[in-house]
Amino acid sequence: MGLEERGRDAWLAKFAATLHHQQFDVASILRTAATHMTELVGANQAGAAILDEHGSPTHTTLIGYHLDDEAEFWTTLISQGLMGFVLHGRRVIIVRNISTDPRWSSNPKALVAASGSAIGLPLRTADRQALLGALIVIHPQIDYFTALKANTLEAAGDVLGAALENALFVEALQQREAAYRDAFERAEAERNTLIRDEGLRRDLSAMIYHDLRNPLQNINTSLSGLGRVVGGERTVAHDLIDLAIRSTQQMTRMVKGLLDLERLEGGKAIMNRKPASVPHLLSEAVELVRPIIDYSDQVVTLEMDPNLPTVLIDADMVQRVVVNLVENAAKHTPTGGRITVKAAAVEEGICVSVSDTGSGIPAGLRERVFDKFFRVRYQNAPSGFGLGLAFCRLAVEAHGGRIWVESEVDRGSTFAFTLPVNVKEATQDMRRVPARAK
Ligand code: ADP
């Protein structure tokens, strides 16, 4: 492997990690990728679009352009321009000279640069079977895109395609959840007699989440197998496989959380209580979030009381509670911030807390963050479902504990919960358990 190739692989691994940290947000993945890919080859203009099944753009991004009418621009570009050729041919196309190549000259006026060259890349799913969209990079120099540059950009396009595929999956999940919510809110408002039962909605959602677990598990198993097949000395391929495994595990946790949310809301008791070591569970939870924490140069500390009693819990569920809280802490804390995870013995059992030095939560909203679908809407807020803390509250209360938050705007937040030693089965109907916050 030549030096240049090694540099390229290192860049690709970093690029993949950067996309992974865009929190499954399609728009920000597309924007970040287009910016990095433009910079990589020293170009100054780029455009990328994701299309729906009818060929209409759903997400677009432009680097180095200022347009009055983007909608018309994209329609022309997709139907007639280089992007159209890439989408149609499903392959990389290099335009060596944009002032003479007919595939370029039919571009809308806004895109006609005086001279230069361009490359168009298809954005495909990880198995390369489905086309998600296309990306074009333009350079003012004629014949600029050599085979090596084209090769690197194509590899980056493949990494981007895989990241987009994951993010579009999460986006579809969010939209489906929102669609169900809307449908049921409308149904309620109109006193729709056909859909009277909240239980039906819950069963439907639970079915979807349940069905999602198997394919996710298959992906995870295949990736682990792939890691073993690749074998040998550690290479960029291993890094990429690890990244894909982490993403799949993150999605599995999300889906399991959604499933638990539906079950617990339906009043189902916890089935898998076993004696568990809380310190072990906490250390593991922190390790699962560590890539996000390291990416933001945050410092995480674990402080554990040496005399913690053993508790009877569903360790997997409680670990997902902690992962949720630590992920939230990392998401809402700026680069270089501090996150502290503590476990202390208290009268009723164990108290676990996750503190951060992040944005904090305004006073009137602190109790509401545990409500389903509630999200504090402020600028540049990280994207999410607004379900994480609702799951945390249901899971903790189903264990007979309580959860609360203390927070100061711009100073940070501490989310804490208790796990009782003497297990009292939670009430049968979780819906009647009121929110308890300090
Ligand atoms: P999501 O993170 O998916 O939006 P959550 O239920 O986990 O949903 O959180 C609900 C809201 O609570 C978030 O949108 C955010 O505004 C706020 N929040 C949660 N954790 C923190 C934190 N550590 N610091 C500041 N705000 C937070």
Side-chain angles (χ1 to χ4, degrees):
M1 192 191 280
L3 247 187
E4 218 164 15
E5 243 172 282
R6 217 169 290 169
R8 181 194 85 156
D9 284 354
W11 184 89
L12 281 173
K14 204 166 149 228
F15 177 65
T18 308
L19 300 189
H20 175 70
H21 287 288
Q22 305 308 311
Q23 304 285 345
F24 298 117
D25 185 278
V26 180
S28 90
I29 288 175
L30 199 61
R31 195 176 49 250
T32 309
T35 310
H36 280 66
M37 288 166 76
T38 312
E39 278 170 15
L40 171 74
V41 292
N44 51 9
Q45 288 183 308
I50 303 296
L51 310 183
D52 63 16
E53 65 270 36
H54 310 294
S56 308
T58 54
H59 300 83
T60 56
T61 196
L62 277 173
I63 313 287
Y65 283 109
H66 294 286
L67 299 177
D68 292 335
D69 186 353
E70 271 205 27
E72 192 195 331
F73 168 81
W74 284 110
T75 312
T76 325
L77 196 63
I78 290 164
S79 57
Q80 300 163 25
L82 174 59
M83 192 165 265
F85 282 95
V86 173
L87 290 168
H88 188 71
R90 293 174 165 242
R91 62 185 179 84
V92 178
I93 295 181
I94 297 176
V95 169
R96 296 171 61 187
N97 184 346
I98 62 179
S99 43
T100 56
D101 195 310
R103 289 169 300 193
W104 188 266
S105 54
S106 55
N107 267 330
K109 278 198 183 63
L111 244 183
V112 179
S115 68
S117 50
I119 183 168
L121 307 158
L123 301 175
R124 296 167 291 212
T125 50
D127 62 4
R128 293 188 157 205
Q129 295 300 312
L131 190 68
L132 304 171
L135 183 142
I136 288 177
V137 183
I138 303 146
H139 194 277
Q141 193 180 313
I142 291 172
D143 221 353
Y144 180 73
F145 293 98
T146 55
L148 185 68
K149 287 194 182 83
N151 217 298
T152 308
L153 282 174
E154 188 176 9
D158 284 344
V159 171
L160 168 59
L164 286 170
E165 183 182 6
N166 281 342
L168 286 164
F169 174 78
V170 171
E171 191 184 78
L173 203 62
Q174 278 173 322
Q175 281 167 357
R176 209 165 308 159
E177 181 68 42
Y180 280 131
R181 194 171 70 237
D182 285 355
F184 281 86
E185 276 169 5
R186 262 204 315 278
E188 204 179 18
E190 293 163 12
R191 296 180 191 284
N192 186 333
T193 46
L194 279 176
I195 311 167
R196 228 183 272 142
D197 190 0
E198 157 76 4
L200 175 62
R201 185 199 69 80
R202 203 172 285 137
D203 288 351
L204 266 174
S205 302
M207 259 161 52
I208 294 170
Y209 304 144
H210 194 267
D211 288 352
L212 283 170
R213 280 191 322 177
N214 283 345
L216 278 172
Q217 188 55 42
N218 289 345
I219 299 174
N220 205 9
T221 316
S222 312
L223 285 169
S224 305
L226 191 61
R228 280 193 297 277
V229 172
V230 173
E233 196 188 318
R234 192 159 179 90
T235 60
V236 172
H238 292 97
D239 290 344
L240 292 174
I241 292 169
D242 284 354
L243 193 61
I245 291 177
R246 278 209 303 279
S247 290
T248 320
Q249 287 170 344
Q250 199 177 347
M251 271 195 216
T252 309
R253 279 200 302 278
M254 284 162 82
V255 169
K256 277 187 178 178
L258 290 168
L259 195 55
D260 282 339
L261 194 75
E262 299 299 335
R263 283 192 183 139
L264 295 171
E265 268 190 326
K268 299 231 164 62
I270 291 176
M271 308 300 284
N272 301 326
R273 279 181 191 270
K274 290 196 183 99
S277 147
V278 169
H280 178 69
L281 175 159
L282 292 185
S283 321
E284 260 188 13
V286 167
E287 285 320 305
L288 288 170
V289 193
R290 191 171 292 277
I292 304 179
I293 297 172
D294 287 349
Y295 180 76
S296 301
D297 281 331
Q298 292 159 346
V299 179
V300 60
T301 343
L302 267 162
E303 292 176 20
M304 245 114 50
D305 203 328
N307 306 313
L308 292 176
T310 303
V311 276
L312 268 184
I313 53 172
D314 176 337
D316 182 59
M317 192 185 283
V318 173
Q319 187 177 69
R320 277 184 282 117
V321 169
V322 181
V323 168
N324 252 299
L325 297 180
V326 181
E327 263 177 2
N328 274 354
K331 265 202 301 196
H332 297 282
T333 301
T335 304
R338 263 178 299 116
I339 299 170
T340 312
V341 181
K342 285 189 199 169
V346 291
E347 202 182 324
E348 50 199 300
I350 293 180
C351 178
V352 176
S353 66
V354 178
S355 309
D356 62 58
T357 54
S359 59
I361 302 164
L365 305 178
R366 277 172 214 154
E367 293 194 17
R368 295 184 56 203
V369 292
F370 295 101
D371 290 349
K372 220 172 154 183
F373 304 120
F374 181 79
R375 309 196 53 239
V376 181
R377 300 206 183 275
Y378 48 87
Q379 244 191 341
N380 300 328
S383 68
F385 287 92
L387 291 174
L389 290 175
F391 157 72
C392 292
R393 183 173 68 185
L394 280 165
V396 167
E397 290 182 347
H399 277 88
R402 58 196 181 87
I403 185 164
W404 68 93
V405 60
E406 288 160 11
S407 183
E408 216 177 308
V409 172
D410 293 334
R411 308 272 322 231
S413 312
T414 296
F415 283 84
F417 67 89
T418 56
L419 292 170
V421 182
N422 296 318
V423 180
K424 273 184 266 122
E425 280 306 328
T427 74
Q428 272 309 297
D429 190 347
M430 299 303 301
R431 279 166 292 189
R432 284 195 213 113
V433 178
R436 271 173 283 185
K438 266 193 183 169

